[in-house]
Amino acid sequence: MLYLIGLGLADEKDITVKGLEIVKNAARVYLEAYTAILLVDKEKLEAFYGRPVTIADREMVESSSDDILADASNVDVAFLVVGDPFSATTHSDLVLRARELSIPVRSIPNASILTAIGATGLQLYNFGQTVSMVFFLENWKPSSFYDRIKENVSIGLHTLVLLDIKVKEQSLENMARGRKIYEPPRFMTVAQCAAQMLETEEERKEGVYGKDSLAVGVARIGAEDQKIVAGTLEQLAESNLGPPLHSLVLLGRRTHDLEREFLKEFAVDKEGFDRVWKRDYEGKQ
Amino acid sequence: MLYLIGLGLADEKDITVKGLEIVKNAARVYLEAYTAILLVDKEKLEAFYGRPVTIADREMVESSSDDILADASNVDVAFLVVGDPFSATTHSDLVLRARELSIPVRSIPNASILTAIGATGLQLYNFGQTVSMVFFLENWKPSSFYDRIKENVSIGLHTLVLLDIKVKEQSLENMARGRKIYEPPRFMTVAQCAAQMLETEEERKEGVYGKDSLAVGVARIGAEDQKIVAGTLEQLAESNLGPPLHSLVLLGRRTHDLEREFLKEFAVDKEGFDRVWKRDYEGKQ
């Protein structure tokens, strides 16, 4: 059996009791480590599980899936995914390949940033589609996220923006020379995301949002030191929420009083927050 | 401290290791039991936790929150929520009340149907806002869900429809006479939901969806006997997915080939599914 097991968001104890039992008994344990990361390292997981863990990077999952699935008709293979197992496309590929090989598959769901973002007090019912923000390069500033946000904004919905992480990336030079040397991991911050959003609005000028638009930045959701900061995009572009992982929510105009009450506690500037709320959000549908 | 602890979706072992440690040490343990249910009963939870569990019904959470919060500045109170703790508004109320009383609050996230629905193979990025479907009465057939679905459809997104549950409801007669006698619990099925959706389309006639629109019904997601069925709304209106809880996804036209490949396995009628997919969904944006 192939088990896709969600690990939740913060540390080794966010696995479910059911998931842990399976890991302890699996013949092999892989950890997917390129779409998200836990806030603890592999050694801590291995000590907690009492089992060796193989890091499965993108290359391994995409080109060596048959190694991961080897003999899984006869033994149990645990494939661990930070958050919930079905948050990224690649895992669909692995499941489809398992099906082709007639290997049974079972998934053990867990918390995902897509729902844990509810800790901000924003109602999950009011979210539209989720978008991703990648690190801009000088000549590559993809703005498809802007089109998606525009759609959400057009019907008044909040948008969760997931932020780029770069793990095991090669520099162009090392890639060209075929040297398997990797850059240190990078994680986009809420401040970088807010700045890129404003840069894109400046470029596209469709008025989807602006400096005064309200947003919420979150860091390390689910961990003891989780941080939530509410403010305008301009304020968030100056924020510092500390270590990764960060995410951002752009508010839609269709809000609820409870959301304001809950969020205000996290505002960089409570009076300013109230002023913008009353002017641009309150009672809008 | 007030701990809001997600229990996940299926049984007593879906709690996280962290959540379980807190429950075992809490002074009091409450179980919210009116927005969703686990597939196991209270006694099984109590045996697993080694602790008594108090069922918190809607009345208790909404009017006696101070009893739940009593002394929580000094002792730990665990408030257990099926799924993820922030899936329903009521829990925001409880957190706000705790804030007023200067009681610290921490939440332990867990799986929610909002993300576990990814087990269908549908990409979570392609979902719009979530809607709820209530049991229609002869003279009360609210169709606000139809307006929300229309918005999602207009931008090509999938819609997750959460289905009504009736727990501890009184008949009108018993309510009028002040008799605390409760009806047996009722859970909406995928078939009932699909039928009500078609009834509403027939009434509203705005062409938001039709008998041939593709949808996916799911039951007991996360449990060993979870069931996923894909088909047209007309087919799903005739489906039988067994015991609760059920949910339904109406497909948006913005689909991905991987979604088709993944879903086809679950189709009531694979050829029909392919025909409708090619005609109405494939390559649409």
Side-chain angles (χ1 to χ4, degrees):
Chain A
M1 175 93 84
L2 169 68
Y3 286 97
L4 300 178
I5 301 174
L7 295 189
L9 297 167
D11 61 41
E12 73 280 9
K13 291 187 176 175
D14 287 331
I15 194 171
T16 65
V17 172
K18 193 181 282 171
L20 182 61
E21 285 178 359
I22 295 166
V23 171
K24 282 183 179 291
N25 290 305
R28 296 193 307 280
V29 181
Y30 297 92
L31 171 63
E32 187 270 82
Y34 57 92
T35 55
I37 54 150
L38 275 191
L39 307 174
V40 294
D41 56 23
K42 183 182 111 155
E43 287 65 36
K44 198 150 185 185
L45 291 183
E46 290 182 321
F48 187 68
Y49 301 153
R51 305 299 314 284
V53 171
T54 304
I55 298 283
D57 58 24
R58 188 185 298 268
E59 193 187 332
M60 182 175 185
V61 177
E62 291 181 358
S63 32
S64 311
S65 57
D66 284 7
D67 296 342
I68 294 173
L69 296 172
D71 203 29
S73 304
N74 302 309
V75 301
D76 287 340
V77 172
F79 186 80
L80 311 182
V81 179
V82 176
D84 183 72
F86 282 108
S87 45
T89 315
T90 313
H91 312 131
S92 295
D93 279 327
L94 191 64
V95 171
L96 287 170
R97 182 62 187 148
R99 274 195 200 157
E100 280 170 20
L101 300 170
S102 303
I103 294 166
V105 180
R106 197 174 161 209
S107 62
I108 308 295
N110 206 323
S112 157
I113 184 64
L114 272 67
T115 45
I117 195 70
T120 56
L122 293 169
Q123 297 299 320
L124 297 175
Y125 282 89
N126 291 336
F127 279 73
Q129 58 198 318
T130 301
V131 306
S132 298
M133 176 69 82
V134 299
F135 282 111
F136 283 2
L137 302 175
E138 206 172 326
N139 299 309
W140 191 69
K141 300 182 177 183
S143 67
S144 60
F145 77 89
Y146 186 84
D147 299 302
R148 300 283 92 80
I149 290 180
K150 187 178 179 180
E151 292 172 336
N152 287 343
V153 163
S154 76
I155 53 178
L157 300 177
H158 307 319
T159 304
L160 172 64
V161 188
L162 301 178
L163 310 190
D164 206 0
I165 78 175
K166 295 280 187 202
V167 181
K168 219 180 164 185
E169 297 279 321
Q170 288 170 285
S171 67
L172 285 176
E173 193 188 338
N174 283 327
M175 202 184 295
R177 299 185 181 218
R179 293 189 296 219
K180 297 214 163 182
I181 299 172
Y182 303 99
E183 303 299 302
R186 288 194 303 151
F187 306 95
M188 189 182 289
T189 64
V190 162
Q192 289 170 312
C193 174
Q196 290 193 178
M197 285 174 70
L198 290 172
E199 185 182 343
T200 303
E201 176 60 53
E202 200 130 307
E203 182 71 30
R204 300 271 304 259
K205 290 190 175 52
E206 298 174 34
V208 171
Y209 50 77
K211 287 181 185 171
D212 264 5
S213 297
L214 292 179
V216 187
V218 302
R220 301 173 303 288
I221 282 286
E224 276 196 64
D225 68 340
Q226 77 176 21
K227 200 156 180 184
I228 303 176
V229 173
T232 63
L233 278 178
E234 192 170 32
Q235 285 167 341
L236 290 187
E238 301 295 325
S239 66
N240 180 0
L241 279 72
L245 294 176
H246 291 194
S247 307
L248 182 145
V249 180
L250 180 73
L251 264 65
R253 69 179 184 284
R254 186 189 296 164
T255 51
H256 190 285
D257 256 1
L258 263 180
E259 294 183 313
R260 182 191 53 74
E261 208 177 327
F262 208 104
L263 268 184
K264 199 180 161 181
E265 174 91 5
F266 305 123
V268 183
D269 157 20
K270 290 191 172 53
E271 280 179 34
F273 180 86
D274 258 350
R275 199 169 50 242
V276 177
W277 185 280
K278 279 192 179 127
R279 192 187 66 200
D280 299 340
Y281 295 83
E282 199 167 277
K284 304 278 198 298
Q285 277 302 319
Chain B
M1 178 90 89
L2 169 68
Y3 285 97
L4 300 179
I5 301 175
L7 295 189
L9 297 167
D11 62 42
E12 73 281 7
K13 291 188 176 174
D14 287 330
I15 195 171
T16 66
V17 172
K18 192 182 282 172
L20 183 60
E21 285 179 359
I22 295 166
V23 171
K24 283 184 178 288
N25 291 305
R28 298 193 305 281
V29 181
Y30 297 92
L31 171 64
E32 187 270 82
Y34 58 92
T35 56
I37 54 149
L38 276 190
L39 307 175
V40 294
D41 56 24
K42 184 181 109 152
E43 287 65 37
K44 198 151 186 185
L45 292 183
E46 289 183 322
F48 187 66
Y49 302 153
R51 304 298 314 285
V53 171
T54 304
I55 298 283
D57 57 25
R58 188 184 298 269
E59 194 186 332
M60 182 174 186
V61 178
E62 290 180 358
S63 31
S64 313
S65 57
D66 284 6
D67 295 343
I68 295 174
L69 297 173
D71 203 31
S73 305
N74 303 307
V75 301
D76 287 341
V77 173
F79 186 80
L80 311 182
V81 180
V82 175
D84 183 70
F86 283 108
S87 46
T89 316
T90 314
H91 312 131
S92 295
D93 279 327
L94 190 65
V95 172
L96 288 171
R97 182 62 188 147
R99 272 196 202 158
E100 281 171 18
L101 300 170
S102 302
I103 294 167
V105 179
R106 198 173 161 211
S107 62
I108 307 294
N110 206 324
S112 157
I113 184 65
L114 271 66
T115 44
I117 194 70
T120 55
L122 292 169
Q123 297 299 319
L124 297 176
Y125 283 88
N126 291 337
F127 279 72
Q129 59 199 317
T130 302
V131 306
S132 297
M133 176 69 82
V134 299
F135 282 111
F136 284 0
L137 302 176
E138 207 172 327
N139 299 310
W140 190 68
K141 301 182 177 181
S143 67
S144 59
F145 77 88
Y146 186 84
D147 300 301
R148 301 284 91 82
I149 291 180
K150 187 178 178 180
E151 292 172 337
N152 288 342
V153 164
S154 76
I155 53 180
L157 299 177
H158 307 319
T159 305
L160 172 63
V161 187
L162 301 178
L163 309 191
D164 206 0
I165 78 175
K166 296 279 187 203
V167 181
K168 219 178 165 188
E169 297 278 321
Q170 289 170 284
S171 67
L172 285 175
E173 193 189 338
N174 283 327
M175 202 184 294
R177 300 186 180 217
R179 292 189 297 219
K180 296 214 162 181
I181 300 171
Y182 303 100
E183 302 299 301
R186 288 196 301 152
F187 307 94
M188 190 182 290
T189 64
V190 162
Q192 288 170 313
C193 175
Q196 291 193 178
M197 286 175 70
L198 290 173
E199 185 183 343
T200 303
E201 176 59 53
E202 199 129 310
E203 182 71 29
R204 299 271 305 259
K205 291 191 174 53
E206 298 174 35
V208 170
Y209 50 77
K211 287 181 185 170
D212 263 7
S213 297
L214 292 178
V216 186
V218 302
R220 301 173 303 287
I221 282 287
E224 274 195 68
D225 67 341
Q226 78 177 21
K227 201 157 179 183
I228 302 177
V229 172
T232 63
L233 278 178
E234 191 170 32
Q235 285 167 341
L236 290 188
E238 301 296 324
S239 66
N240 179 1
L241 279 73
L245 295 176
H246 291 193
S247 307
L248 182 146
V249 180
L250 181 72
L251 264 66
R253 68 179 184 283
R254 188 188 294 164
T255 51
H256 189 284
D257 256 0
L258 263 180
E259 294 182 313
R260 183 191 52 76
E261 209 176 327
F262 207 104
L263 269 184
K264 198 178 161 182
E265 174 90 3
F266 306 122
V268 183
D269 157 22
K270 290 191 170 53
E271 279 179 35
F273 180 87
D274 258 350
R275 198 169 52 241
V276 176
W277 184 281
K278 281 193 176 127
R279 190 188 65 198
D280 299 339
Y281 295 83
E282 198 168 279
K284 301 280 196 299
Q285 277 302 318

